Amino acid sequence: MINLENFVKKYNGKPIDVDRLYGHQCVDLIKQYAIDCFGFSIGSFGGSAMTGWKNTINTFQKTKFEKITDLSKLLPGDIVFTTGSSENNYGHVVILLKVFGNGKIQVLEQNMGSGDGKGSDDFVKISFYDLNSKILGAYRYKESRIFTDVPDSHPFFNSIKWAKDNGIAHGYSDGRLGADEVLTVGRFLAFLENYDKIKTS
């Protein structure tokens, strides 16, 4: 399996057509993501991203995925569903890469809009969205997290795991590390002190 950062490097600018149906659709990106980053296939979306969001055919099994409807709780690696463009009613599904404090998110997507799923304009790409009413919510893969805000797909997962395993990073009392927050001088010095303790022990 690979992490989210390597998944982006591997597929950005390329077409993905996992199911060999209707060209490279947005759902194909998610299917490939599950295979590469979670280690299993999630199967059919039932014809559209919107059907996948409604989960009418149990694409996102409750034992493996958590449904997120509070948009303030979105994390990198989440599978985010939108109403799609005004040109279709199939909905759209993307992979969340980053949440910005200004109400914007960075996503990895394929075939947004009225594309036919066959042209180069429908290839995988990084885009920016407003965190607004077009976003319905997300599904999050339930994995054993080292911190609640650090999924296995986090680009610095291995470094963060090393820091936790070696007693350098302890995180907050609520289980978060704050991995994507601004690092204050105080927190940086705490990390250095923890590192010094393990180095001299």
Side-chain angles (χ1 to χ4, degrees):
M1 290 190 299
I2 60 176
N3 66 19
L4 180 57
E5 179 183 23
N6 288 328
F7 182 83
V8 173
K9 287 178 185 174
K10 182 175 181 180
Y11 293 106
N12 191 26
K14 298 176 183 169
I16 298 175
D17 186 8
V18 173
D19 57 17
R20 305 280 187 242
L21 298 170
Y22 311 110
H24 30 276
Q25 300 294 319
C26 61
V27 296
D28 288 310
L29 173 66
I30 305 309
K31 290 176 181 183
Q32 192 68 57
Y33 177 51
I35 292 166
D36 286 13
C37 296
F38 307 151
F40 59 87
S41 175
I42 57 174
S44 174
F45 273 66
S48 73
M50 194 60 76
T51 308
W53 169 246
K54 294 175 183 173
N55 208 24
T56 53
I57 59 173
N58 201 28
T59 303
F60 296 96
Q61 300 167 11
K62 290 180 182 176
T63 57
K64 293 184 179 178
F65 291 93
E66 171 187 3
K67 191 171 189 174
I68 310 295
T69 54
D70 181 349
L71 301 185
S72 69
K73 306 281 188 207
L74 294 177
L75 295 173
D78 286 349
I79 299 168
V80 176
F81 288 79
T82 76
T83 56
S85 72
S86 58
E87 301 160 0
N88 75 55
N89 59 359
Y90 299 112
H92 190 54
V93 61
V94 301
I95 302 166
L96 181 62
L97 300 179
K98 187 165 181 140
V99 179
F100 298 99
N102 62 359
K104 301 250 185 219
I105 59 173
Q106 182 185 51
V107 301
L108 190 67
E109 67 177 341
Q110 177 173 264
N111 190 28
M112 176 55 188
S114 61
D116 61 5
K118 297 176 183 164
S120 62
D121 56 329
D122 294 323
F123 287 6
V124 175
K125 66 180 179 179
I126 295 172
S127 300
F128 294 88
Y129 284 27
D130 288 322
L131 194 57
N132 62 23
S133 59
K134 287 186 80 169
I135 295 177
L136 301 168
Y139 282 99
R140 179 176 300 148
Y141 176 52
K142 293 180 184 178
E143 54 202 340
S144 55
R145 295 197 172 191
I146 54 174
F147 293 103
T148 58
D149 60 341
V150 181
D152 292 354
S153 56
H154 192 282
F156 299 107
F157 176 82
N158 291 333
S159 299
I160 293 167
K161 184 176 184 322
W162 172 84
K164 182 176 185 185
D165 291 348
N166 286 287
I168 297 166
H170 303 295
Y172 296 108
S173 60
D174 65 0
R176 293 179 307 111
L177 173 64
D180 296 317
E181 296 175 5
V182 174
L183 179 63
T184 64
V185 172
R187 287 192 71 206
F188 175 72
L189 293 174
F191 290 140
L192 281 179
E193 181 181 19
N194 291 340
Y195 178 73
D196 187 56
K197 286 177 187 173
I198 64 161
K199 191 176 169 191
T200 57
S201 61

